[in-house]
Amino acid sequence: IRQRYKEHPLKLKLTYTLLLFFGILSNISATEVLQKKIGFYVNHSMANVNGVCNEIQIEPFDLIKKSNVFSLKSSFKINIPITKISSGDSGRDDHIHEILGHPNFSQIQIQVSSIENQGEKYLVKGNLTIRGLTKPFQSDATAVETNGNVQVDGKLVTKFSDYKLEN
């Protein structure tokens, strides 16, 4: 069993979609988040689990657009309340919340420190904190502008073992 775990470690994939509205004043934009969602997917040998959290909190931040390329003026935080993560099965949700550290930890925190244009995509860099353990991350994302709104989509994949999460 231990050998199998090493070959197929449990992974947590966070997917994010943010719909932003911004009003341009010179080259700096005041950004308002119109829609926000964090989805999750756990790849497990017994069953794959999908879920969502629609109640994330995002600090205000400034998105800069220059020559049709987006960047951040400064870093910002995204807080994911653990008890608001739902898979549609309350018994399983309680177990997920416990694995993620509830009640000792009330949230997962993402500190976004930069976004860098990589041609068709953006590289998002920052720190992810789960159960009080913080690790740096990099994530590919897309940003599509339509009628003054920008939709940002991306995903962040991590192993349970990276954060000492038990199944």
Side-chain angles (χ1 to χ4, degrees):
I1 293 175
R2 286 187 186 268
Q3 182 66 25
R4 184 174 179 174
Y5 176 77
K6 287 182 180 181
E7 289 176 10
H8 302 286
L10 293 174
K11 292 184 180 177
L12 174 66
K13 176 170 62 173
L14 298 173
T15 57
Y16 50 90
T17 299
L18 305 174
L19 183 60
L20 313 172
F21 169 77
F22 64 98
I24 298 176
L25 178 61
S26 185
N27 286 330
I28 299 178
S29 307
T31 307
E32 177 186 356
V33 180
L34 300 177
Q35 185 179 27
K36 50 197 172 189
K37 178 174 81 172
I38 297 281
F40 71 89
Y41 174 81
V42 177
N43 183 2
H44 190 280
S45 61
M46 300 292 270
N48 295 326
V49 178
N50 289 291
V52 68
C53 181
N54 289 312
E55 298 185 37
I56 62 175
Q57 296 108 27
I58 302 177
E59 285 184 347
F61 63 96
D62 288 326
L63 189 65
I64 300 168
K65 180 181 175 188
K66 190 172 184 180
S67 301
N68 289 323
V69 173
F70 297 103
S71 62
L72 286 177
K73 183 177 179 185
S74 60
S75 66
F76 68 97
K77 290 181 187 171
I78 300 172
N79 293 313
I80 305 167
I82 291 173
T83 59
K84 300 299 182 180
I85 294 172
S86 174
S87 68
D89 178 330
S90 62
R92 180 175 46 215
D93 292 347
D94 289 343
H95 183 62
I96 291 168
H97 300 161
E98 183 181 328
I99 289 170
L100 295 173
H102 188 265
N104 296 330
F105 298 93
S106 62
Q107 60 193 9
I108 295 170
Q109 188 175 82
I110 302 168
Q111 175 79 36
V112 178
S113 57
S114 68
I115 60 172
E116 300 170 9
N117 181 265
Q118 304 274 304
E120 295 285 316
K121 296 187 181 239
Y122 287 86
L123 181 63
V124 179
K125 293 182 180 181
N127 290 305
L128 173 64
T129 303
I130 302 174
R131 292 185 75 117
L133 185 59
T134 302
K135 301 244 181 195
F137 75 86
Q138 292 186 10
S139 170
D140 288 331
T142 59
V144 178
E145 183 178 8
T146 308
N147 299 325
N149 295 329
V150 179
Q151 181 167 327
V152 179
D153 292 295
K155 68 181 175 182
L156 168 61
V157 179
T158 189
K159 295 178 189 173
F160 271 41
S161 59
D162 290 346
Y163 291 89
K164 300 180 176 126
L165 303 178
E166 296 180 20
N167 181 15

